[in-house]
């Protein structure tokens, strides 16, 4: 009997959530965010946002982290995106950002979504242009971080010792 009561309670709670202004998919930074997940974990779908950064952004925006992402109003989503755009203006420390002291301009910033891909590509092109060891290894498609390459990572080349003829 108690299990039936619990199921009804869950059903009525879910019905309250899904009625009204609930959105099943929210669009943030060209990413589809699942509206059924809690906001702290739903924000991690955006590239460049981890759990800790999402938690901090929710706290700065005064949004309850137990809320589902689909329950947020447009104003709350707007607040989240502005804080993620300009984290330094909302007193998020510089050590929390993923792009510290950029090579070109020396600024601290937090890259999100497709900005990460663009910055990564620029960094690799810069390394290749100045003929740095890392850039050359990237250019030839070899291991960059000092891994052994004698036996692993052959990718399609012939494997094994050639026999006598």
């Amino acid at each position: 009997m108690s299990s039936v009561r619990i199921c009804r309670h869950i059903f009525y709670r879910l019905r309250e959530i899904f009625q009204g202004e609930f959105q099943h998919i929210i669009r943030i930074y060209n990413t589809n965010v699942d509206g059924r997940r809690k906001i702290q974990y739903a924000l991690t779908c955006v590239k460049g946002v981890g759990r800790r950064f999402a938690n901090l952004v929710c706290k700065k925006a005064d949004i309850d982290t137990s809320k589902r992402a689909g329950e947020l109003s447009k104003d709350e989503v707007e607040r989240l995106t502005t804080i993620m755009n300009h984290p330094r203006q909302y007193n998020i420390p510089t050590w929390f950002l993923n792009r510290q002291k950029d090579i070109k301009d020396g600024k601290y910033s937090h890259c999100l979504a497709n900005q990460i891909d663009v910055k990564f590509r620029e960094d690799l092109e810069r390394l290749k242009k100045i003929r740095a060891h890392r850039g050359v290894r990237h250019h030839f498609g070899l291991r960059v971080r000092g891994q052994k390459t004698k036996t692993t990572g052959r990718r399609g080349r012939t494997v094994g010792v050639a026999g006598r003829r």
Side-chain angles (χ1 to χ4, degrees), residues 137 142-150 152:
R137 303 284 293 186
L142 299 171
R143 301 289 169 108
V144 177
R145 298 187 177 180
Q147 297 97 323
K148 306 280 187 191
T149 56
K150 183 176 181 180
T152 61

Side-chain angles (χ1 to χ4, degrees), residues 14-41:
L14 288 175
R15 193 172 71 180
E16 287 174 12
I17 288 173
F18 291 121
Q19 283 179 343
E21 296 294 319
F22 190 84
Q23 295 177 325
H24 290 278
I25 294 176
I26 300 172
R27 197 83 175 145
I28 299 175
Y29 284 107
N30 295 329
T31 307
N32 292 334
V33 175
D34 187 9
R36 295 172 296 178
R37 297 175 73 187
K38 292 195 177 183
I39 184 63
Q40 181 180 349
Y41 300 105

